[in-house]
Amino acid sequence: MRSIDNCDLAQTTRLRDRLKNGGNMVVAEGYLLELERRGHLQAGAFIPEVVLEHPEVVKALHEEFVHAGSDVVVAFTYYGHRAKLKVIGREDDLMELNLRALKMAKEVAVKTGTLMAGDICNTTIYHGDDPSSVEEVREIFREQIEWAVQSGADYIIAERFEEFGEAKLALECIQQFGNGLPAVVTIAPHVEDKTKDGLTFPEACKRLEEAGADVVGLNCCRGPSTMLPLLKEIKKVCKGPIAALPVPFRTTSEEPTMEVLTDPDTGMPAFPVDLPRFFCSRTQIAEFAAQAKEIGVQYIGLCCGNASHYTRLLAEEYGRKPPASKYAPDMSKHYRFGNKEFVKKHHTPGQQD
């Protein structure tokens, strides 16, 4: 394992090189809900025990997302921090979980020629007016960042922050402990159009950019239709690359986040187990990608609810042709709904060659 003091200089520039001069990145997130859906993660605590219990499943999902067009393998350390593991009595597994997740991600990234990102996130214990809380969160960030550096991460994602203060602290820790690695910092846009500590999302992103974040933006909570208006405002005030990673659910102005979607059949909250009825169509995801590209979003992806077919659509809209594009739908070949000449030739008795 490499020394923190010997991080490859070229490695620290890979993200920046990809984004300079208007370049873009497709980034598959969404491991949490996808692995819950597949029966390997418990909704509620949402802790990535699957990294220890079924690592082959995580590795396969990494490979699946790259096959679909992701330029980055994100180590599955979201909610794999000390505070969350303490909730389920597995704090002693903290280092092993993080190092395994990072090693798997790095192996897939090297094999596929993609970037590998370390990941830190909202801690659920941050209280900006409590110095002891701030120091506890700082320590959580420090250890995960240092493990990511040691494991060869190309950059660090700091994601899903509800408060600007915690996002800023995460950025400061990346700058202090990340040995020069770039920082992508994203805010979670809940129902109100501002952070929990009172900043509008554009102002929060602007301040993070001015503080040195390489990419700023929004991830999680809101679907494409309720995140796009915010992205337009963020782009107006930020000079550098902005990120957009909504959830692929049909949120509305009345119910702008996945957490407040109501199942019309039961009148109960859909989050988390009944969210599937609100999935966006593939056409809606393609339209989101096209609009995001027009706005100028350079760092594009999807968060909770993402799946490989959605990632392929983002990649294609952003000019890629990933391996999965070989299998993109072509209904002209369908025996019933296809091109008339094709149907006549291949599916009419006596017409086959």
Coordinates of all heavy atoms in Angstrom, one line a residue, residues 165-258:
G165 N -22.2 23.7 6.4 CA -21.1 23.6 7.3 C -20.4 22.3 7.2 O -19.2 22.2 7.3
E166 N -21.2 21.2 7.1 CA -20.6 19.9 7.0 C -19.9 19.7 5.7 O -18.8 19.0 5.6 CB -21.6 18.7 7.3 CG -21.0 17.4 7.4 CD -21.9 16.3 7.8 OE1 -23.2 16.4 7.5 OE2 -21.5 15.3 8.4
A167 N -20.5 20.2 4.6 CA -19.9 20.1 3.3 C -18.5 20.8 3.3 O -17.5 20.4 2.8 CB -20.8 20.7 2.2
K168 N -18.5 22.0 3.9 CA -17.3 22.8 4.0 C -16.2 22.1 4.8 O -15.0 22.1 4.4 CB -17.6 24.2 4.6 CG -16.4 25.1 4.7 CD -15.9 25.7 3.4 CE -14.8 26.6 3.5 NZ -14.7 27.4 4.7
L169 N -16.6 21.5 5.9 CA -15.7 20.7 6.7 C -15.1 19.5 5.9 O -13.9 19.3 6.0 CB -16.4 20.2 8.0 CG -15.6 19.4 8.9 CD1 -14.4 20.2 9.5 CD2 -16.4 18.9 10.1
A170 N -16.0 18.9 5.2 CA -15.5 17.8 4.3 C -14.4 18.2 3.3 O -13.4 17.6 3.1 CB -16.6 17.1 3.6
L171 N -14.7 19.4 2.7 CA -13.7 19.9 1.8 C -12.4 20.3 2.5 O -11.3 20.0 1.9 CB -14.3 21.2 1.1 CG -13.4 22.0 0.2 CD1 -12.8 21.1 -1.0 CD2 -14.1 23.2 -0.4
E172 N -12.5 20.9 3.6 CA -11.3 21.3 4.4 C -10.5 20.0 4.7 O -9.3 20.0 4.6 CB -11.7 22.0 5.6 CG -12.2 23.4 5.4 CD -12.8 24.0 6.6 OE1 -12.9 23.4 7.7 OE2 -13.3 25.2 6.5
C173 N -11.2 18.9 5.0 CA -10.5 17.7 5.4 C -9.8 17.1 4.1 O -8.7 16.5 4.2 CB -11.4 16.7 6.0 SG -11.9 17.2 7.7
I174 N -10.5 17.1 3.0 CA -9.9 16.6 1.8 C -8.6 17.4 1.5 O -7.6 16.9 1.1 CB -10.8 16.7 0.6 CG1 -12.0 15.7 0.8 CG2 -10.1 16.4 -0.7 CD1 -13.1 15.9 -0.1
Q175 N -8.7 18.7 1.7 CA -7.5 19.6 1.4 C -6.4 19.3 2.4 O -5.2 19.4 2.1 CB -8.0 21.1 1.4 CG -8.9 21.4 0.3 CD -9.5 22.8 0.5 OE1 -9.8 23.2 1.6 NE2 -9.9 23.5 -0.6
Q176 N -6.8 19.0 3.6 CA -5.7 18.8 4.7 C -5.2 17.4 4.6 O -3.9 17.2 4.8 CB -6.4 19.0 6.1 CG -5.4 18.9 7.2 CD -6.0 19.2 8.6 OE1 -7.1 19.6 8.7 NE2 -5.2 19.0 9.6
F177 N -6.0 16.4 4.4 CA -5.5 15.0 4.5 C -5.5 14.3 3.1 O -5.0 13.1 3.1 CB -6.5 14.2 5.4 CG -6.6 14.8 6.8 CD1 -7.8 15.3 7.2 CD2 -5.5 14.9 7.6 CE1 -8.0 15.9 8.4 CE2 -5.6 15.5 8.9 CZ -6.9 16.0 9.3
G178 N -5.9 14.9 2.0 CA -6.1 14.2 0.8 C -4.8 14.3 -0.1 O -4.9 13.8 -1.3
N179 N -3.8 14.8 0.4 CA -2.5 14.8 -0.4 C -2.7 15.4 -1.8 O -2.1 14.8 -2.8 CB -1.9 13.4 -0.4 CG -0.4 13.4 -0.6 OD1 0.3 14.3 -0.1 ND2 0.1 12.5 -1.3
G180 N -3.5 16.4 -1.9 CA -3.6 17.0 -3.2 C -4.7 16.5 -4.2 O -4.8 17.0 -5.3
L181 N -5.4 15.4 -3.7 CA -6.4 14.9 -4.6 C -7.5 15.9 -4.8 O -7.9 16.6 -3.9 CB -7.0 13.6 -4.0 CG -6.0 12.4 -4.0 CD1 -6.8 11.2 -3.4 CD2 -5.5 12.0 -5.4
P182 N -8.1 15.9 -6.0 CA -9.3 16.8 -6.3 C -10.5 16.4 -5.4 O -10.6 15.2 -5.0 CB -9.6 16.5 -7.8 CG -8.3 15.9 -8.3 CD -7.7 15.1 -7.2
A183 N -11.3 17.4 -5.2 CA -12.5 17.2 -4.4 C -13.8 17.5 -5.2 O -13.9 18.6 -5.8 CB -12.5 18.1 -3.2
V184 N -14.7 16.6 -5.2 CA -16.1 16.8 -5.8 C -17.0 16.8 -4.6 O -17.2 15.9 -3.9 CB -16.5 15.7 -6.8 CG1 -17.9 15.9 -7.2 CG2 -15.5 15.6 -7.9
V185 N -17.7 18.0 -4.4 CA -18.5 18.2 -3.2 C -19.9 18.5 -3.6 O -20.2 19.5 -4.4 CB -17.9 19.3 -2.3 CG1 -18.7 19.4 -1.0 CG2 -16.5 19.1 -2.0
T186 N -20.9 17.7 -3.2 CA -22.3 17.9 -3.6 C -23.2 18.0 -2.4 O -23.0 17.4 -1.3 CB -22.7 16.8 -4.5 OG1 -22.5 15.5 -3.8 CG2 -22.0 16.8 -5.8
I187 N -24.2 18.9 -2.6 CA -25.2 19.1 -1.5 C -26.5 18.3 -1.9 O -26.8 18.1 -3.0 CB -25.6 20.6 -1.6 CG1 -24.3 21.5 -1.3 CG2 -26.7 20.9 -0.6 CD1 -23.8 21.4 0.2
A188 N -27.2 17.8 -0.8 CA -28.4 17.1 -1.0 C -29.6 18.1 -0.9 O -29.8 18.7 0.1 CB -28.6 16.1 0.1
P189 N -30.3 18.3 -2.1 CA -31.4 19.3 -2.1 C -32.7 18.8 -1.6 O -33.4 18.1 -2.3 CB -31.5 19.7 -3.6 CG -31.1 18.4 -4.3 CD -30.1 17.7 -3.4
H190 N -33.0 19.1 -0.3 CA -34.2 18.6 0.2 C -35.4 19.5 -0.2 O -35.3 20.2 -1.2 CB -34.1 18.5 1.8 CG -33.4 17.3 2.2 ND1 -34.0 16.1 2.3 CD2 -32.1 17.1 2.7 CE1 -33.2 15.2 2.7 NE2 -32.0 15.8 3.0
V191 N -36.5 19.4 0.5 CA -37.7 20.1 0.0 C -37.6 21.6 -0.1 O -38.0 22.2 -1.1 CB -38.9 19.7 1.0 CG1 -40.1 20.5 0.6 CG2 -39.2 18.2 0.9
E192 N -37.0 22.2 0.9 CA -36.8 23.6 0.9 C -35.6 23.9 -0.1 O -34.7 23.1 -0.2 CB -36.5 24.2 2.2 CG -37.6 24.2 3.2 CD -37.3 25.0 4.5 OE1 -37.3 26.2 4.4 OE2 -37.0 24.3 5.5
D193 N -35.6 25.1 -0.8 CA -34.6 25.4 -1.7 C -33.4 26.1 -1.0 O -32.8 27.1 -1.5 CB -35.1 26.4 -2.8 CG -36.1 25.7 -3.8 OD1 -36.0 24.4 -3.8 OD2 -36.8 26.4 -4.4
K194 N -33.0 25.4 0.1 CA -31.8 25.9 0.8 C -31.3 24.8 1.7 O -32.0 23.9 2.0 CB -32.1 27.2 1.6 CG -33.2 27.0 2.6 CD -33.5 28.3 3.3 CE -34.7 28.1 4.4 NZ -35.0 29.4 5.0
T195 N -30.0 25.0 2.1 CA -29.5 24.0 3.0 C -30.1 24.1 4.4 O -30.8 25.2 4.7 CB -28.0 24.2 3.2 OG1 -27.7 25.5 3.8 CG2 -27.2 24.2 1.8
K196 N -29.9 23.2 5.3 CA -30.5 23.2 6.6 C -29.9 24.4 7.5 O -30.5 24.7 8.5 CB -30.3 21.9 7.3 CG -31.3 20.8 6.7 CD -31.3 19.6 7.6 CE -32.4 18.6 7.1 NZ -32.5 17.4 7.9
D197 N -28.7 24.9 7.1 CA -28.2 26.0 7.8 C -28.4 27.3 7.0 O -27.7 28.3 7.3 CB -26.7 25.8 8.2 CG -25.8 25.2 7.1 OD1 -26.4 25.0 6.0 OD2 -24.6 25.0 7.3
G198 N -29.4 27.3 6.1 CA -29.9 28.6 5.6 C -29.3 29.2 4.3 O -29.7 30.3 3.9
L199 N -28.5 28.5 3.6 CA -27.9 29.0 2.4 C -28.7 28.5 1.2 O -29.1 27.3 1.2 CB -26.5 28.6 2.2 CG -25.4 29.2 3.1 CD1 -24.0 28.8 2.7 CD2 -25.5 30.7 3.2
T200 N -29.0 29.3 0.2 CA -29.5 28.8 -1.1 C -28.5 27.8 -1.7 O -27.3 27.9 -1.4 CB -29.8 29.9 -2.1 OG1 -28.6 30.5 -2.5 CG2 -30.8 30.9 -1.5
F201 N -29.0 26.9 -2.5 CA -28.1 25.9 -3.1 C -27.0 26.6 -4.0 O -25.9 26.2 -4.0 CB -28.8 24.9 -3.8 CG -29.7 24.1 -2.9 CD1 -31.1 23.9 -3.2 CD2 -29.2 23.5 -1.7 CE1 -31.9 23.2 -2.3 CE2 -30.0 22.8 -0.9 CZ -31.4 22.6 -1.2
P202 N -27.4 27.6 -4.8 CA -26.4 28.3 -5.6 C -25.3 29.0 -4.7 O -24.1 28.9 -5.0 CB -27.2 29.3 -6.4 CG -28.6 28.7 -6.5 CD -28.8 28.0 -5.2
E203 N -25.8 29.6 -3.6 CA -24.8 30.3 -2.8 C -23.9 29.2 -2.1 O -22.7 29.5 -2.0 CB -25.5 31.1 -1.7 CG -24.6 31.8 -0.7 CD -23.7 32.9 -1.4 OE1 -24.1 33.3 -2.5 OE2 -22.6 33.2 -0.8
A204 N -24.4 28.1 -1.7 CA -23.6 27.1 -1.0 C -22.6 26.5 -2.0 O -21.4 26.4 -1.7 CB -24.5 25.9 -0.5
C205 N -23.0 26.3 -3.3 CA -22.1 25.8 -4.3 C -21.0 26.8 -4.6 O -19.8 26.5 -4.8 CB -22.8 25.4 -5.5 SG -23.8 23.8 -5.3
K206 N -21.4 28.1 -4.7 CA -20.5 29.1 -5.0 C -19.4 29.2 -3.9 O -18.2 29.3 -4.2 CB -21.2 30.4 -5.2 CG -20.3 31.6 -5.5 CD -21.1 32.9 -5.5 CE -20.2 34.1 -5.7 NZ -20.9 35.4 -5.7
R207 N -19.8 29.1 -2.7 CA -18.8 29.2 -1.6 C -17.9 28.0 -1.6 O -16.7 28.2 -1.3 CB -19.6 29.3 -0.2 CG -20.3 30.6 -0.1 CD -20.8 30.8 1.4 NE -21.7 31.9 1.6 CZ -22.1 32.4 2.7 NH1 -21.8 31.7 3.8 NH2 -22.9 33.4 2.8
L208 N -18.4 26.8 -1.9 CA -17.6 25.7 -1.9 C -16.6 25.8 -3.1 O -15.4 25.4 -2.9 CB -18.4 24.4 -2.1 CG -19.3 24.0 -0.9 CD1 -20.3 22.9 -1.2 CD2 -18.4 23.5 0.3
E209 N -17.0 26.3 -4.2 CA -16.1 26.5 -5.3 C -15.0 27.5 -4.9 O -13.8 27.2 -5.2 CB -16.8 26.9 -6.5 CG -16.0 27.1 -7.8 CD -16.7 27.6 -9.0 OE1 -17.2 28.8 -9.0 OE2 -17.0 26.8 -9.9
E210 N -15.4 28.6 -4.3 CA -14.4 29.6 -3.9 C -13.4 29.1 -2.9 O -12.3 29.5 -2.8 CB -15.2 30.8 -3.4 CG -15.9 31.6 -4.5 CD -16.8 32.7 -4.0 OE1 -17.1 32.7 -2.7 OE2 -17.2 33.5 -4.8
A211 N -13.9 28.1 -2.1 CA -13.0 27.5 -1.1 C -12.1 26.4 -1.7 O -11.2 25.9 -0.9 CB -13.9 26.9 0.0
G212 N -12.2 26.1 -2.9 CA -11.3 25.2 -3.6 C -11.8 23.9 -4.1 O -11.0 23.1 -4.6
A213 N -13.1 23.7 -4.0 CA -13.6 22.4 -4.6 C -13.4 22.4 -6.1 O -13.7 23.4 -6.7 CB -15.1 22.2 -4.2
D214 N -13.0 21.3 -6.6 CA -12.9 21.2 -8.1 C -14.2 21.1 -8.8 O -14.3 21.6 -10.0 CB -12.0 20.0 -8.4 CG -10.6 20.1 -7.9 OD1 -9.7 20.6 -8.6 OD2 -10.4 19.7 -6.7
V215 N -15.1 20.4 -8.2 CA -16.5 20.3 -8.8 C -17.5 20.5 -7.7 O -17.3 19.9 -6.6 CB -16.7 18.9 -9.5 CG1 -18.1 18.8 -10.1 CG2 -15.6 18.6 -10.5
V216 N -18.5 21.2 -7.9 CA -19.6 21.4 -6.9 C -20.9 21.1 -7.6 O -21.1 21.2 -8.8 CB -19.6 22.8 -6.3 CG1 -18.3 23.1 -5.6 CG2 -19.8 23.9 -7.4
G217 N -21.9 20.8 -6.8 CA -23.3 20.6 -7.4 C -24.2 19.9 -6.4 O -24.1 20.1 -5.2
L218 N -25.1 19.2 -7.0 CA -26.2 18.5 -6.2 C -26.2 17.0 -6.4 O -26.0 16.6 -7.6 CB -27.6 19.1 -6.6 CG -27.7 20.6 -6.5 CD1 -29.1 21.0 -7.0 CD2 -27.5 21.1 -5.1
N219 N -26.6 16.3 -5.4 CA -26.8 14.8 -5.6 C -27.9 14.4 -4.6 O -28.1 14.9 -3.5 CB -25.5 14.0 -5.4 CG -25.2 13.6 -4.0 OD1 -25.0 14.5 -3.1 ND2 -25.2 12.3 -3.7
C220 N -28.6 13.4 -5.1 CA -29.6 12.6 -4.3 C -30.9 13.5 -4.0 O -31.0 14.6 -4.5 CB -29.0 12.2 -2.9 SG -29.8 10.7 -2.3
C221 N -31.8 12.9 -3.4 CA -33.1 13.5 -2.9 C -34.0 13.9 -4.1 O -35.1 13.3 -4.2 CB -32.8 14.7 -2.0 SG -32.0 14.3 -0.5
R222 N -33.6 14.8 -4.9 CA -34.6 15.3 -6.0 C -34.4 14.5 -7.3 O -33.3 14.1 -7.6 CB -34.3 16.8 -6.3 CG -34.6 17.7 -5.1 CD -34.9 19.1 -5.5 NE -35.1 20.0 -4.4 CZ -35.8 21.1 -4.4 NH1 -36.3 21.5 -5.6 NH2 -36.0 21.8 -3.4
G223 N -35.5 14.3 -7.9 CA -35.5 13.7 -9.3 C -35.1 14.7 -10.3 O -34.9 15.9 -10.0
P224 N -35.0 14.3 -11.6 CA -34.5 15.2 -12.6 C -35.4 16.5 -12.8 O -34.8 17.6 -12.9 CB -34.6 14.3 -13.9 CG -34.4 12.9 -13.4 CD -35.1 12.9 -12.0
S225 N -36.7 16.3 -12.7 CA -37.5 17.5 -13.0 C -37.5 18.6 -11.9 O -37.6 19.7 -12.2 CB -39.0 17.0 -13.2 OG -39.5 16.5 -12.0
T226 N -37.2 18.2 -10.7 CA -37.1 19.2 -9.6 C -35.7 19.6 -9.3 O -35.5 20.5 -8.5 CB -37.8 18.6 -8.3 OG1 -37.3 17.3 -8.0 CG2 -39.3 18.5 -8.5
M227 N -34.7 18.9 -9.9 CA -33.3 19.3 -9.7 C -32.9 20.3 -10.8 O -32.1 21.2 -10.6 CB -32.3 18.1 -9.7 CG -30.9 18.5 -9.4 SD -29.7 17.1 -9.3 CE -30.1 16.5 -7.6
L228 N -33.4 20.1 -12.0 CA -32.9 20.9 -13.2 C -33.0 22.4 -12.9 O -32.1 23.1 -13.3 CB -33.7 20.5 -14.4 CG -33.1 19.2 -15.2 CD1 -34.1 18.7 -16.2 CD2 -31.8 19.5 -15.8
P229 N -34.1 22.9 -12.4 CA -34.2 24.4 -12.2 C -33.1 24.9 -11.3 O -32.6 26.0 -11.4 CB -35.6 24.5 -11.5 CG -36.4 23.4 -12.0 CD -35.4 22.2 -12.1
L230 N -32.7 24.1 -10.3 CA -31.7 24.5 -9.3 C -30.3 24.5 -10.1 O -29.5 25.4 -9.8 CB -31.6 23.5 -8.2 CG -32.9 23.4 -7.3 CD1 -32.7 22.4 -6.2 CD2 -33.2 24.8 -6.6
L231 N -30.1 23.5 -10.9 CA -28.8 23.5 -11.7 C -28.6 24.7 -12.5 O -27.5 25.2 -12.7 CB -28.8 22.2 -12.5 CG -28.8 20.9 -11.8 CD1 -29.0 19.7 -12.7 CD2 -27.5 20.7 -10.9
K232 N -29.7 25.2 -13.1 CA -29.6 26.4 -14.0 C -29.1 27.6 -13.1 O -28.3 28.3 -13.6 CB -31.0 26.7 -14.6 CG -31.4 25.7 -15.6 CD -32.8 26.0 -16.1 CE -33.3 24.9 -17.1 NZ -34.7 25.2 -17.6
E233 N -29.6 27.7 -11.9 CA -29.2 28.8 -11.0 C -27.8 28.6 -10.5 O -27.0 29.6 -10.4 CB -30.2 28.9 -9.9 CG -31.6 29.2 -10.3 CD -31.7 30.5 -11.1 OE1 -31.1 31.5 -10.7 OE2 -32.3 30.4 -12.2
I234 N -27.4 27.4 -10.3 CA -26.0 27.1 -9.8 C -25.0 27.4 -10.9 O -24.0 28.0 -10.7 CB -25.9 25.6 -9.4 CG1 -26.7 25.4 -8.1 CG2 -24.4 25.2 -9.2 CD1 -26.8 24.0 -7.7
K235 N -25.4 27.1 -12.2 CA -24.5 27.3 -13.3 C -24.2 28.8 -13.5 O -23.2 29.3 -13.9 CB -25.0 26.7 -14.6 CG -24.1 26.8 -15.8 CD -22.8 26.1 -15.5 CE -21.9 26.2 -16.7 NZ -20.5 25.7 -16.4
K236 N -25.2 29.6 -13.1 CA -25.1 31.1 -13.3 C -24.0 31.7 -12.4 O -23.4 32.7 -12.7 CB -26.4 31.8 -13.0 CG -27.5 31.5 -14.1 CD -28.8 32.2 -13.7 CE -29.9 31.9 -14.7 NZ -31.2 32.5 -14.3
V237 N -23.8 31.1 -11.2 CA -22.9 31.7 -10.2 C -21.6 30.9 -10.0 O -20.7 31.5 -9.4 CB -23.6 31.8 -8.8 CG1 -24.9 32.6 -8.9 CG2 -23.9 30.4 -8.2
C238 N -21.5 29.8 -10.6 CA -20.2 29.0 -10.5 C -19.4 29.1 -11.8 O -20.0 29.0 -12.9 CB -20.5 27.5 -10.2 SG -21.1 27.3 -8.5
K239 N -18.2 29.2 -11.7 CA -17.3 29.4 -12.9 C -16.7 28.0 -13.4 O -16.4 27.9 -14.5 CB -16.1 30.3 -12.5 CG -16.5 31.7 -12.1 CD -15.3 32.5 -11.7 CE -15.7 33.9 -11.2 NZ -14.6 34.7 -10.8
G240 N -16.6 27.1 -12.5 CA -16.0 25.8 -12.9 C -17.1 24.7 -13.1 O -18.3 25.0 -13.2
P241 N -16.6 23.5 -13.2 CA -17.5 22.4 -13.5 C -18.6 22.2 -12.4 O -18.3 22.3 -11.2 CB -16.6 21.1 -13.6 CG -15.2 21.7 -13.8 CD -15.2 23.0 -13.1
I242 N -19.8 21.9 -12.8 CA -20.8 21.6 -11.8 C -21.3 20.1 -12.0 O -21.2 19.6 -13.1 CB -22.0 22.6 -11.9 CG1 -22.8 22.4 -13.2 CG2 -21.6 24.0 -11.7 CD1 -24.2 23.1 -13.1
A243 N -21.8 19.6 -10.9 CA -22.2 18.2 -10.9 C -23.8 18.1 -10.7 O -24.4 18.9 -10.0 CB -21.5 17.4 -9.7
A244 N -24.3 17.1 -11.3 CA -25.7 16.8 -11.2 C -25.9 15.3 -11.1 O -25.6 14.5 -12.1 CB -26.5 17.3 -12.4
L245 N -26.4 14.8 -10.0 CA -26.7 13.4 -9.8 C -28.0 13.2 -9.0 O -28.1 12.9 -7.8 CB -25.6 12.7 -9.0 CG -24.2 12.7 -9.6 CD1 -23.3 13.9 -9.0 CD2 -23.5 11.4 -9.4
P246 N -29.1 13.4 -9.8 CA -30.4 13.3 -9.1 C -30.8 11.8 -8.9 O -30.0 10.9 -9.3 CB -31.4 13.9 -10.2 CG -30.7 13.6 -11.5 CD -29.2 13.7 -11.2
V247 N -31.9 11.6 -8.2 CA -32.4 10.2 -8.1 C -33.3 10.0 -9.3 O -34.0 11.0 -9.8 CB -33.2 10.0 -6.8 CG1 -32.2 10.1 -5.6 CG2 -34.3 11.0 -6.7
P248 N -33.5 8.8 -9.9 CA -34.3 8.6 -11.1 C -35.7 8.3 -10.8 O -36.3 7.4 -11.3 CB -33.6 7.4 -11.7 CG -33.1 6.6 -10.6 CD -32.7 7.6 -9.5
F249 N -36.3 9.2 -10.0 CA -37.7 9.1 -9.6 C -38.5 10.3 -10.1 O -38.0 11.4 -10.2 CB -37.9 8.9 -8.1 CG -37.2 7.7 -7.6 CD1 -36.1 7.8 -6.7 CD2 -37.6 6.4 -8.0 CE1 -35.5 6.6 -6.3 CE2 -37.0 5.3 -7.5 CZ -35.9 5.4 -6.7
R250 N -39.8 10.2 -10.3 CA -40.6 11.2 -10.9 C -41.2 12.1 -9.7 O -42.3 12.0 -9.3 CB -41.8 10.6 -11.7 CG -41.3 10.0 -13.0 CD -42.4 9.3 -13.8 NE -42.7 8.0 -13.2 CZ -43.9 7.7 -12.6 NH1 -44.8 8.6 -12.4 NH2 -44.1 6.5 -12.1
T251 N -40.3 13.0 -9.3 CA -40.6 13.9 -8.3 C -41.4 15.1 -8.9 O -41.3 15.3 -10.1 CB -39.4 14.5 -7.5 OG1 -38.5 14.9 -8.5 CG2 -38.8 13.4 -6.7
T252 N -42.1 15.8 -8.1 CA -43.0 16.9 -8.6 C -42.7 18.2 -7.8 O -42.1 18.1 -6.7 CB -44.4 16.6 -8.6 OG1 -44.8 16.4 -7.2 CG2 -44.7 15.3 -9.3
S253 N -43.3 19.3 -8.2 CA -43.2 20.5 -7.4 C -43.9 20.4 -6.1 O -43.5 21.0 -5.1 CB -43.8 21.7 -8.2 OG -45.1 21.5 -8.6
E254 N -45.0 19.6 -6.0 CA -45.7 19.3 -4.8 C -44.9 18.3 -3.9 O -45.0 18.4 -2.7 CB -47.1 18.7 -5.1 CG -48.0 19.7 -5.7 CD -47.7 19.9 -7.2 OE1 -47.1 19.0 -7.8 OE2 -48.1 20.9 -7.8
E255 N -44.2 17.4 -4.5 CA -43.4 16.4 -3.8 C -42.1 16.3 -4.4 O -41.8 15.4 -5.2 CB -44.1 15.0 -3.8 CG -45.5 15.0 -3.1 CD -46.2 13.6 -3.1 OE1 -45.9 12.8 -4.0 OE2 -47.0 13.4 -2.2
P256 N -41.2 17.3 -4.1 CA -40.0 17.5 -4.8 C -38.8 16.5 -4.6 O -37.9 16.5 -5.3 CB -39.6 18.9 -4.4 CG -40.1 19.1 -3.1 CD -41.4 18.4 -3.1
T257 N -39.0 15.7 -3.5 CA -37.9 14.7 -3.2 C -38.5 13.3 -3.1 O -39.7 13.2 -2.8 CB -37.2 15.1 -1.9 OG1 -38.0 14.8 -0.8 CG2 -36.8 16.6 -1.8
M258 N -37.6 12.3 -3.2 CA -38.0 11.0 -3.1 C -38.6 10.6 -1.7 O -39.4 9.8 -1.5 CB -36.9 10.0 -3.5 CG -35.7 10.0 -2.5 SD -34.5 8.7 -3.0 CE -33.2 9.0 -1.8

